[in-house]
Amino acid sequence: MRKATVITTGSEIVEGLIINSNAQHICRRLTETGVSIVRSISVGDDLESIEKAICEAFEDSTVIVVSGGLGPTKDDLTREAVARSLNRKLLFDPALENRIKEKISKFHKAPANTRKQAMVIENAELIENPVGTAPGQLIRDGDVILILLPGPPQEMKPMLESVLSKLSNKRNCSINMLFFGIPEASLDELVQKLPTPKWLKVATQATHTDGVKLRLYAPSEYSTELKKFSEQVIAKINEHFVGFDNTTLEEVVVRGLEASGLTVSSAESCTGGLLAAKIVSVPGASKVFKGAVVAYDNSVKTNILKVREQTIEQHGAVSEECVFEMAKKVKNMINSDLSVAISGIAGPSGGSKAKPVGLAFICLWDGKKSYIKRIFYPQERNMFRSRVVSTAMDMLRRYIFKLPVI
């Protein structure tokens, strides 16, 4: 089995200014490809530090992935560090520079420092960048493969995928699943109660907003048995199962609405249009999403949605009665098959003893029946908003697939 060291460069990572999502993604994809991770380290934008990390990786790794430092500025030093560690030349590629300039000129005038991105390590293979301008490089040195990728995740991810086949030594297989509405401990307990073979490895990961991720992992010769085990898990808690791999709640909802021939609209208060934004982030959402009203202020609830002032006076804007009227009114206004309304108290102020910060009500209305859910999630306001939206999305998922909604 190949062993890998993952090196992410950037002083902003080392200093804690940004989250190092690249390391997590690269390590996960390498593991899924059958490559064992020896270490994952971060180094600053310093030539000696990057070179030292690469030299140390050669001691016990046959795959070295370096992310970052391929841009055109003076602190982009990965090419120079790798060339020095391998004692190879950096060669200027004029054809590559022309391609880079041509890509940049579609948006603005190409700067003079594009030449730096056209410097190629001796005997390296170029990795095409379909998103940005910095090409990656793949270098072979004996049994070792070095892969140099840019730092921006939207550029790094497709480039990594394009070279994974060169590393494939797949002795392991895995199945990744997403569940919602079940605590991590309960999911783990359920899995452990099933007849668990010795070759199976199980890992769970709770997220505060998106649900619980379950990863089943086994040697590749047990791939058929692994699939059967995953089916047993789903059969036990089918109502909580969202999908495989990187499937999201919003993708399942949009595809489900489309398959059912249904449309939806939303009326949002505390979430400020986040539910609508999540839905329209999915390609093809225009087929199922009719529109939304962000009724953040009570005057918008009464003047635009036509929620009765008496309802707000008697029950408050954060109440079952208010979200029910919001859902009914937005459905009629936009003429959708379904509607979802949300109202809550995101905080940090605005709560009371009777209605504390973290309280929210969600209503799903289909024109005949309302499904109203009260949730209490006293967390940081944007984490709260995301969790409320995920809960609303899950209510839609359950309705579409004829599962218990509340």
Side-chain angles (χ1 to χ4, degrees):
M1 177 182 289
R2 286 188 176 275
K3 296 183 177 181
T5 291
V6 176
I7 303 169
T8 46
T9 71
S11 297
E12 65 278 12
I13 294 174
V14 175
E15 295 167 9
L17 300 177
I18 64 170
I19 295 173
N20 188 2
S21 61
N22 280 6
Q24 181 267 341
H25 180 82
I26 294 169
C27 290
R28 179 176 62 82
R29 291 297 293 123
L30 288 175
T31 300
E32 291 171 351
T33 305
V35 178
S36 174
I37 306 300
V38 175
R39 71 180 63 82
S40 173
I41 63 172
S42 299
V43 295
D45 295 313
D46 173 78
L47 188 64
E48 284 71 27
S49 296
I50 301 171
E51 183 181 3
K52 180 183 177 184
I54 293 167
C55 290
E56 289 176 351
F58 263 91
E59 296 177 5
D60 53 11
S61 301
T62 55
V63 176
I64 304 170
V65 181
V66 186
S67 172
L70 298 183
T73 62
K74 65 179 182 180
D75 62 349
D76 290 310
L77 299 169
T78 295
R79 285 174 293 257
E80 291 83 347
V82 174
R84 276 178 40 167
S85 66
L86 297 177
N87 195 27
R88 297 194 190 188
K89 297 177 182 178
L90 267 177
L91 306 174
F92 173 63
D93 186 336
L96 175 59
E97 184 185 36
N98 288 336
R99 293 199 298 273
I100 293 171
K101 285 183 174 180
E102 183 180 352
K103 184 176 284 191
I104 294 173
S105 65
K106 295 177 181 178
F107 306 98
H108 51 75
K109 184 179 178 181
N113 60 2
T114 53
R115 179 184 177 89
K116 185 170 184 177
Q117 289 185 306
M119 300 301 292
V120 181
I121 297 168
E122 187 179 9
N123 295 325
E125 303 172 30
L126 290 178
I127 304 171
E128 183 182 356
N129 187 333
V131 179
T133 59
Q137 300 188 34
L138 187 148
I139 307 105
R140 299 179 187 273
D141 191 82
D143 293 333
V144 179
I145 297 177
L146 288 91
I147 299 169
L148 313 185
L149 302 170
Q154 66 272 24
E155 298 180 34
M156 178 276 294
K157 290 180 180 180
M159 295 171 71
L160 176 65
E161 293 303 315
S162 71
V163 297
L164 283 178
S165 61
K166 300 178 188 293
L167 310 177
S168 184
N169 183 20
K170 203 144 188 178
R171 297 179 182 177
N172 299 303
C173 55
S174 63
I175 294 177
N176 301 287
M177 296 179 280
L178 176 65
F179 296 85
F180 193 87
I182 182 172
E184 180 184 15
S186 298
L187 178 59
D188 182 68
E189 183 180 27
L190 182 144
V191 173
Q192 299 303 331
K193 284 183 178 179
L194 292 171
T196 306
K198 292 182 178 180
W199 45 260
L200 176 67
K201 291 183 180 180
V202 179
T204 58
Q205 179 192 359
T207 66
H208 288 290
T209 58
D210 301 324
V212 182
K213 296 177 181 179
L214 174 66
R215 185 165 187 258
L216 305 176
Y217 185 85
S220 58
E221 59 263 32
Y222 295 106
S223 60
T224 301
E225 291 87 344
L226 186 67
K227 185 175 184 296
K228 289 179 180 178
F229 187 86
S230 71
E231 291 169 351
Q232 291 178 50
V233 174
I234 294 170
K236 283 285 184 180
I237 44 172
N238 180 55
E239 68 174 277
H240 297 289
F241 176 67
V242 176
F244 292 102
D245 297 321
N246 296 316
T247 300
T248 62
L249 275 166
E250 51 267 30
E251 288 172 341
V252 171
V253 166
V254 169
R255 300 294 168 247
L257 288 169
E258 185 178 359
S260 304
L262 296 171
T263 60
V264 67
S265 60
S266 66
E268 301 180 58
S269 183
C270 63
T271 49
L274 186 58
L275 176 65
K278 284 277 191 179
I279 292 173
V280 301
S281 71
V282 180
S286 59
K287 298 175 184 177
V288 300
F289 186 66
K290 298 288 288 278
V293 174
V294 178
Y296 205 75
D297 189 81
N298 285 347
S299 64
V300 180
K301 294 180 180 71
T302 55
N303 295 333
I304 304 299
L305 284 177
K306 305 300 180 184
V307 173
R308 293 177 301 163
E309 290 185 4
Q310 182 183 4
T311 299
I312 295 177
E313 289 172 1
Q314 289 184 357
H315 304 284
V318 181
S319 64
E320 292 187 20
E321 291 80 5
C322 185
V323 290
F324 176 55
E325 284 197 36
M326 289 169 66
K328 287 183 67 176
K329 300 294 184 179
V330 77
K331 180 182 183 300
N332 293 338
M333 179 188 300
I334 295 179
N335 192 30
S336 57
D337 299 308
L338 306 173
S339 63
V340 178
I342 299 171
S343 186
I345 306 168
S349 59
S352 66
K353 188 174 182 179
K355 294 184 179 180
V357 169
L359 176 67
F361 290 92
I362 306 166
C363 178
L364 169 60
W365 171 246
D366 65 3
K368 295 180 180 179
K369 185 177 180 179
S370 64
Y371 303 86
I372 300 177
K373 190 164 192 172
R374 178 191 187 276
I375 68 169
F376 181 57
Y377 194 69
Q379 297 291 338
E380 184 273 331
R381 64 179 284 117
N382 289 320
M383 190 181 293
F384 162 82
R385 293 172 60 240
S386 294
R387 180 69 180 193
V388 171
V389 165
S390 294
T391 303
M393 204 78 74
D394 191 55
M395 289 173 68
L396 275 169
R397 177 188 70 86
R398 287 167 171 269
Y399 179 91
I400 294 164
F401 294 103
K402 297 179 171 52
L403 299 167
V405 176
I406 52 176

